[in-house]
Amino acid sequence: MLSRISRLKLFHLQLVREMSQVPAEVSANAKAEKSKLQVSLKTPKGTKDWADSDMVIRESIFRVLSDMFKRHGGVTIDTPVFELKEILAGKYGEDSKLIYDLKDQGGELCSLRYDLTVPFARFAAMNNVQNIKRYHIAKVYRRDQPAMTKGRMREFYQCDFDIAGNYESMVADAECLSIAVEGITGLGIKDFKIKLNHRKILDGIFQISGVKDEDVRKISSAVDKLDKSPWDVVRKEITVEKGQSDETADKIGEYVKLNGSLKQVHSVLSQDPAILENSLAKEGLDEIETLMRYTAAFDIDSYISFDLSLARGLDYYTGLIYEVVTSDSAPPENAGELKKKSKNSEDASAYVGVGSIAAGGRYDKLINMFAEASGKKSVQIPCVGISFGVERLFSIIKQRIASASIKPTATQVMVMAFGGGKDWTGYLPERMKVAKELWNAGIETEYVYKSKANPRKQFDAAEKTGAQLAVILGKEEYLDGKFRIKKLGPQFADDDGELIEAADLIKVVKEKLSEINENDVNEVTRLVQGI
C-alpha cells in the first residue's frame, strides 16, 4: 500500500497535470471566441450609411417631393419590401437578372422589390382599385454593379407618383410631365431635359424596319443604350448579338437618331408615309399631337425633348415613356482614360455619369395582367406615373452645396442660463421647463445637459447645433419674470438681445424666427431649392 505521503504526492501530480490542461482548453476556447467576433466593419457593396448633414439634405428632398405629390391630390400607400417572386417575374425585360431573390421561407419564393410600380399594380389588382392618385416613397433593390457616389446603388429610394383610372387621352400623362418639371425645379435643378418617346411609335418603327414581334423587346433594350454608347456599338449589338439584318439595323438607325422639340419631331414623323401607314405608329403620333396641347397649357414645352432613341427596357410600358437627364447624367468625355487611372475598383464615380434622375411612362395592362392571372374579373385600369431617384438627386444637390454649411440638426432655439455666486444653481430645471414650453409650441429647442454650464460652452453648443436664437435666463431677470431673446451668429455678436416678459415668450420667438427664415423658408430649404 502507498504511504500517506506517497498518496499525497500522487494526488499533487494529478492535480498539477489537470491544472496544466485547463489553460490550453481555455486558450482554445478563447481563440475560437475571438475568431467568432472578428468582423469586417463595412456596409455591403452598393449600400451606405447616411448621417448628419447628408440626412438633412435627403429629408429635405423627401419633404419637397411629398408636399408636391399632396398638392396634386396624391394619397400615400406602403407595400412589403419583398414580393412573391412570381409577381416580379417577367416584368423588367433583360433587367430581370438584377432582381434579388430570397431563400425559400415557409414554402414561398420571394424577391426584394425592384421598383415601386409593379407592387402598386399588384396592390391595385388585389384591392379592386378603379382610380387613384398614389405616391410612394420607399427603398428598392437592384443586384447591380454600383458606382457609389453617383447614385448607382443596390439599395436606394424611389419617390413615385402614379395616376390610375380611365381618363381622356393624355390628360394624366401631361400632369405627370408637369410633376416631373415641378419636382426637379423645386429641388433647385434648372438645367435638365425630359427625354420623351412613345412605345407605340417605337414599336411601329421596329415593324417598319422588319423586326419580328417576338424580337421587339430585345431590340428595344439595345436601342435604349444609345444614351451611353455610340450608334456603331448599338448597331453591332442589333446585328451580331440580336440577329437582325444590316438593312433592319440601318432603317432603325434612320429613326432613332431623330430628336428635337415635340413640334419638330412630330412634324417630321407626320410627313413620313411609312409612319402614317403603320397603325401602331400613327396611333402614337396622334396621342403626341393631343399631348402637345396640354404641355403648352402647363407651360413645360421648353423642358421636353422628343427623342426616338429612348426605349426604356421595362416590359410593362405601353405608351408614353420619359426620363429626366442633366449634364451630370452622361459619363465624362474622357471616361475611358479616367477608368484606367482609377485605383478603387468599387468606386466608379470618376468615370460614370449619374444617369437619369427621374423616369416613368404609361403602363395600361399591368393591373389587368395581375387581375387575370389571379382569376379575378378582367379589369382594364390604365396607369401612368413618374419616379424620382433620390440618391441621384442627392448627388447633384450635394455637389452644388458642398461648400455651404448644412447643420445636422433642426434646432432653432438654445435655452441658456447666465449667473454666478455661491448660490448660483445653473437653473437646469428652469431651462427644462422653458424648453418644454417651446417644444409644446412646435419649436425645435435644446439646452446644455449640465447644471452650471458657463456661457462660452452654451454658445459653443448653440453654434454646433446651428441654433438661430438664444432664450437666456439671467439670474436676476428670470426672478423678475423676464427672458432675454438674442439672435445668434457672427453678425449679432455685439447685440445683447431683447428683454421680454415671460408670458410673451412663444409669440416673440416665433416672430424672431419668422424674421430670420424669410417667408418661413429655413436655410436648408433655401440651399436645397437653390433659392
Side-chain angles (χ1 to χ4, degrees):
M1 291 181 64
L2 292 171
S3 65
R4 183 170 180 272
I5 293 175
S6 298
R7 288 199 302 274
L8 286 172
K9 286 182 178 179
L10 182 60
F11 175 74
H12 178 71
L13 287 171
Q14 290 173 335
L15 184 62
V16 169
R17 191 178 300 115
E18 289 174 5
M19 288 180 69
S20 68
Q21 293 173 356
V22 171
E25 293 172 1
V26 171
S27 176
N29 288 336
K31 288 180 179 179
E33 288 296 320
K34 186 176 180 181
S35 65
K36 288 179 184 177
L37 294 174
Q38 288 179 342
V39 294
S40 179
L41 287 177
K42 64 184 287 292
T43 61
K45 289 181 180 179
T47 66
K48 66 173 290 185
D49 295 321
W50 299 88
D52 300 332
S53 59
D54 284 354
M55 278 303 297
V56 174
I57 296 173
R58 283 163 64 85
E59 286 179 349
S60 185
I61 294 172
F62 293 145
R63 185 168 56 253
V64 168
L65 294 178
S66 60
D67 286 349
M68 177 191 64
F69 296 151
K70 291 172 186 175
R71 284 197 300 274
H72 285 262
V75 296
T76 191
I77 69 167
D78 195 13
T79 62
V81 73
F82 50 87
E83 296 275 351
L84 293 177
K85 185 176 179 179
E86 61 194 30
I87 296 291
L88 304 183
K91 310 299 187 302
Y92 303 106
E94 291 190 358
D95 282 350
S96 291
K97 64 181 181 293
L98 303 181
I99 294 174
Y100 265 112
D101 292 330
L102 304 177
K103 278 190 174 183
D104 181 4
Q105 295 287 338
E108 289 186 338
L109 292 175
C110 297
S111 302
L112 293 177
R113 61 188 173 206
Y114 179 90
D115 66 5
L116 300 178
T117 305
V118 171
F120 167 60
R122 188 265 308 152
F123 167 87
M126 271 182 63
N127 295 282
N128 196 30
V129 173
Q130 297 300 307
N131 57 74
I132 188 176
K133 283 184 174 182
R134 148 274 193 194
Y135 73 92
H136 191 183
I137 299 177
K139 288 182 177 180
V140 298
Y141 299 86
R142 307 274 170 95
R143 195 164 56 84
D144 204 350
Q145 293 299 321
M148 288 290 295
T149 62
K150 290 296 182 73
R152 295 174 183 266
M153 304 178 74
R154 289 174 171 170
E155 177 192 63
F156 58 95
Y157 269 98
Q158 284 187 338
C159 296
D160 280 22
F161 186 92
D162 292 82
I163 302 173
N166 285 285
Y167 303 103
E168 287 188 23
S169 175
M170 309 312 289
V171 173
D173 306 68
E175 183 162 357
C176 282
L177 291 172
S178 182
I179 285 170
V181 173
E182 191 176 331
I184 301 300
T185 56
L187 292 170
I189 300 171
K190 311 300 181 186
D191 181 21
F192 67 92
K193 279 288 181 185
I194 301 176
K195 290 172 61 177
L196 177 149
N197 200 359
H198 201 300
R199 283 304 282 261
K200 291 177 183 177
I201 295 176
L202 191 61
D203 290 352
I205 288 170
F206 292 149
Q207 288 179 358
I208 293 167
S209 303
V211 178
K212 295 178 181 178
D213 289 346
E214 61 266 26
D215 293 335
V216 164
R217 288 297 171 257
K218 64 182 182 181
I219 300 303
S220 290
S221 66
V223 169
D224 199 41
K225 296 173 184 175
L226 275 171
D227 62 334
K228 304 180 185 71
S229 304
W231 168 246
D232 290 345
V233 174
V234 172
R235 186 185 185 282
K236 183 179 179 182
E237 181 176 339
I238 291 173
T239 54
V240 178
E241 297 178 31
K242 309 295 185 183
Q244 304 298 309
S245 68
D246 289 340
E247 293 77 11
T248 293
D250 291 338
K251 191 66 176 175
I252 291 171
E254 290 176 16
Y255 285 107
V256 298
K257 293 174 186 178
L258 275 175
N259 65 79
S261 70
L262 280 172
K263 287 184 179 179
Q264 288 170 339
V265 178
H266 179 271
S267 176
V268 172
L269 294 178
S270 296
Q271 297 173 46
D272 187 323
I275 292 289
L276 298 177
E277 291 170 8
N278 183 279
S279 60
L280 204 55
K282 179 65 167 62
E283 187 179 344
L285 198 60
D286 289 343
E287 290 184 356
I288 292 292
E289 186 175 2
T290 302
L291 177 71
M292 287 193 293
R293 299 204 309 271
Y294 303 144
T295 55
F298 283 131
D299 193 24
I300 57 173
D301 280 338
S302 61
Y303 294 102
I304 297 174
S305 170
F306 194 172
D307 191 330
L308 292 183
S309 71
L310 180 66
R312 305 228 2 103
L314 303 180
D315 278 359
Y316 52 68
Y317 286 124
T318 58
L320 204 68
I321 51 176
Y322 36 82
E323 65 181 28
V324 182
V325 296
T326 74
S327 56
D328 293 316
S329 296
E333 293 181 1
N334 60 337
E337 181 183 339
L338 293 171
K339 185 176 182 179
K340 291 178 182 178
K341 292 180 179 179
S342 177
K343 296 179 181 179
N344 186 347
S345 61
E346 293 184 19
D347 184 3
S349 61
Y351 52 85
V352 175
V354 171
S356 61
I357 55 178
R362 175 161 287 280
Y363 52 103
D364 286 345
K365 298 178 181 179
L366 199 53
I367 293 177
N368 185 50
M369 183 192 303
F370 284 129
E372 286 186 339
S374 64
K376 286 178 175 267
K377 182 181 177 182
S378 178
V379 286
Q380 191 68 32
I381 308 296
C383 297
V384 63
I386 178 75
S387 177
F388 296 86
V390 174
E391 272 67 30
R392 296 182 178 190
L393 289 167
F394 170 85
S395 68
I396 292 173
I397 294 169
K398 180 65 184 288
Q399 186 176 8
R400 186 180 74 224
I401 62 176
S403 60
S405 176
I406 294 280
K407 61 177 185 175
T409 67
T411 304
Q412 295 175 297
V413 176
M414 180 66 69
V415 180
M416 305 180 180
F418 298 163
K422 292 182 180 180
D423 61 338
W424 174 239
T425 63
Y427 280 167
L428 181 56
E430 290 80 0
R431 281 182 277 147
M432 291 178 172
K433 184 178 179 180
V434 173
K436 176 66 173 176
E437 188 178 349
L438 291 163
W439 290 333
N440 288 344
I443 298 168
E444 292 91 344
T445 305
E446 287 193 72
Y447 57 93
V448 174
Y449 290 5
K450 188 175 182 180
S451 295
K452 295 182 181 180
N454 66 47
R456 183 68 268 158
K457 285 189 176 180
Q458 293 182 80
F459 278 115
D460 285 346
E463 184 180 357
K464 187 175 180 180
T465 63
Q468 298 160 307
L469 282 182
V471 174
I472 301 169
L473 283 62
K475 184 177 179 181
E476 286 78 22
E477 293 168 347
Y478 180 73
L479 295 175
D480 291 338
K482 298 181 186 297
F483 296 129
R484 188 169 293 277
I485 310 296
K486 174 177 168 52
K487 290 182 180 179
L488 298 174
Q491 67 271 39
F492 303 112
D494 298 328
D495 181 6
D496 292 334
E498 178 185 351
L499 198 61
I500 67 164
E501 297 292 332
D504 296 331
L505 174 65
I506 301 303
K507 182 186 75 171
V508 174
V509 166
K510 286 186 174 180
E511 287 174 355
K512 298 283 186 186
L513 289 173
S514 183
E515 292 172 9
I516 296 168
N517 299 321
E518 189 177 342
N519 298 322
D520 290 327
V521 178
N522 63 33
E523 182 64 18
V524 173
T525 303
R526 278 200 291 269
L527 287 168
V528 169
Q529 296 185 344
I531 299 174

